[in-house]
Amino acid sequence: MILSGVAETLLSGLPELGERMALRIRADVEAYRDESLITLDSLRRSCAANADLILTHLRVGGAPDASSARDTGRLRAEQGVPLADTLHAYRIGSQLLWTEILAEARTRPDVSDDLLLTESAEFWALSGLYAEAVAVAYREAAAELTSQGQARRSALVEALFTGIVTDRTLWEAARELELPEHGPYAVAAAKVDVPGEEPLTGVGAALRQANLPSAWRLLPDEQLALIALPTAAAETACLRVLRRTRARVGFSPRFPSLRDTPQALRFARLALAGLKGAGPGVARFDDNPLAMVVAAAPAEATHLMELVLRPLLDLPAAERARLLRTLEHWFDAAGSAGAAARSLFVHPNTVRYRLRRVEELTGRSLSDPRAAADIGAALLAVRGPGRGDVSRPAS
């Protein structure tokens, strides 16, 4: 090898060469100045190892050995050094090494400029090969770290939603998921129509833009989000983002501690189950807490429905539908027969007649607050999820 003597001389002073390379890189690449990321000793060893690769090849020839270059790439990925800075540092080290080779070669009469020009091409080809090895190993390690990070985040989100947490896990979850350690928070549960497809695509990014950190979990039938609400206006902003989607979403009440996440998830699911119609929309648990309570106790709700409304439910379908729908509009109108009549497109006396018919059948007076509450709750049970439509729209 033409430069074997030069390489052998430089190899004899490898520790000092590694030191000079490390100091030059630290001076020129900002990321390498952070001692918490890369200690000077670690950088010195890495520089010496990579210089050793090239100098050994120049001395003895043979197939290039890129092991140290791969080690450098993997280590920098694990340390969190950007790939661009890693490759920049590698180029700086290579340039300094070539300068040292030139300086030593020019002390030797047998090494002409023509020979150096030939060796220069080989050196830089070799340096490029090792730089590619650095980049490949870096990307492989970064992909592994990303996969491990995603798995860990997924496990922590699952622990929060299921309640399998300790005080330490709560702290780790907040840190790893980039959530504040204290609330308020809320949970959103969105219906998944096709397993594997996210109904809330892009919502996480939109929430980040609104400074609302969130953590996500995709299940076969639901997409779940744990959302931090750090300001008074945060919930309104969050709901605005959710309503821009074409999804069916249930939204929990706000809660102060990550330990309460499982209960909030239950509330969000109840809100989702109680969402009217079949199209997109967002249902807040707090918008209709009585309906949520009814939905949370299906057996008790069925008993209430039977106890209060059975005579009405036994009517022929057309009359049953008219009375139930009239009741629904009357409750929606806060007990105003006139407003209910307008929404039903009938005369107010028609509404009053139907309400008296309900009172006769149930034996309960709608002017009695307790009786009205019983009928209202029983009506919610009739409309509850999984009961089907026991009343078709009728005027």
Side-chain angles (χ1 to χ4, degrees):
M1 300 293 290
I2 297 170
L3 295 180
S4 60
V6 172
E8 189 168 354
T9 298
L10 293 178
L11 281 168
S12 66
L14 192 59
E16 294 80 7
L17 178 57
E19 173 88 13
R20 289 196 298 277
M21 292 170 72
L23 292 174
R24 174 68 62 81
I25 290 170
R26 275 212 158 184
D28 292 355
V29 185
E30 186 174 354
Y32 280 73
R33 297 173 200 157
D34 187 346
E35 187 75 15
S36 65
L37 279 182
I38 310 169
T39 65
L40 181 58
D41 187 54
S42 169
L43 180 57
R44 188 188 299 117
R45 289 196 304 271
S46 178
C47 289
N50 284 290
D52 190 14
L53 277 182
I54 293 179
L55 292 173
T56 298
H57 182 78
L58 293 177
R59 185 171 67 87
V60 300
D65 175 12
S67 57
S68 290
R70 287 193 294 269
D71 290 344
T72 295
R74 174 169 288 275
L75 180 60
R76 296 296 175 257
E78 291 170 352
Q79 291 169 329
V81 180
L83 177 57
D85 287 344
T86 300
L87 294 176
H88 185 200
Y90 202 87
R91 286 191 295 272
I92 290 170
S94 296
Q95 288 165 357
L96 189 146
L97 179 58
W98 179 243
T99 299
E100 294 286 334
I101 289 172
L102 283 178
E104 177 62 27
R106 289 202 167 103
T107 67
R108 300 169 182 263
D110 56 323
V111 181
S112 66
D113 288 344
D114 289 342
L115 289 175
L116 279 176
L117 186 62
T118 301
E119 291 300 305
S120 171
E122 182 179 351
F123 173 88
W124 288 110
L126 194 61
S127 177
L129 177 68
Y130 290 153
E132 183 179 354
V134 169
V136 169
Y138 183 104
R139 293 189 181 101
E140 289 174 352
E144 288 177 20
L145 291 168
T146 298
S147 177
Q148 291 168 6
Q150 289 173 341
R152 177 170 171 76
R153 286 173 63 88
S154 179
L156 288 170
V157 173
E158 181 71 9
L160 290 175
F161 280 127
T162 57
I164 307 174
V165 290
T166 63
D167 288 339
R168 177 178 175 82
T169 308
L170 288 174
W171 177 82
E172 288 178 351
R175 181 173 56 83
E176 290 278 344
L177 301 174
E178 299 179 359
L179 295 170
E181 289 186 39
H182 304 287
Y185 314 94
V187 169
K191 184 178 183 296
V192 169
D193 293 321
V194 179
E197 290 189 8
E198 298 183 9
L200 298 177
T201 301
V203 169
L207 292 175
R208 278 195 302 275
Q209 268 194 324
N211 296 315
L212 302 177
S214 58
W216 295 78
R217 185 87 171 100
L218 182 62
L219 302 175
D221 59 342
E222 288 178 319
Q223 186 175 18
L224 309 178
L226 170 59
I227 306 163
L229 304 174
T231 66
E235 183 173 351
T236 300
C238 179
L239 291 169
R240 188 182 305 117
V241 170
L242 291 171
R243 287 183 177 123
R244 287 201 295 261
T245 71
R246 300 294 299 167
R248 292 176 62 81
V249 185
F251 196 78
S252 78
R254 289 178 294 175
F255 58 99
S257 169
L258 288 173
R259 190 177 294 282
D260 301 324
T261 304
Q263 181 65 50
L265 173 58
R266 183 166 179 267
F267 288 148
R269 283 172 167 164
L270 287 171
L272 175 59
L275 182 61
K276 293 181 180 180
V282 178
R284 293 174 71 248
F285 184 97
D286 287 349
D287 285 343
N288 197 345
L290 179 58
M292 300 302 105
V293 170
V294 170
E300 292 79 358
T302 298
H303 179 71
L304 175 66
M305 179 181 69
E306 291 287 334
L307 179 67
V308 176
L309 293 181
R310 175 44 57 194
L312 190 154
L313 297 176
D314 287 338
L315 293 171
E319 186 178 3
R320 179 184 67 215
R322 278 194 297 272
L323 295 182
L324 287 175
R325 189 158 186 257
T326 299
L327 268 179
E328 190 172 52
H329 281 252
W330 184 76
F331 276 108
D332 286 345
S336 168
R342 286 191 293 275
S343 64
L344 287 166
F345 302 103
V346 298
H347 193 278
N349 285 339
T350 302
V351 171
R352 295 186 185 101
Y353 168 77
R354 292 176 182 176
L355 294 177
R356 284 195 299 272
R357 178 79 171 128
V358 169
E359 291 177 325
E360 291 170 3
L361 288 165
T362 62
R364 297 167 191 266
S365 171
L366 288 168
S367 61
D368 178 350
R370 289 187 179 180
D374 289 343
I375 293 173
L379 182 64
L380 290 171
V382 171
R383 302 301 197 198
R387 299 194 189 281
D389 188 3
V390 298
S391 66
R392 296 171 126 184
S395 60

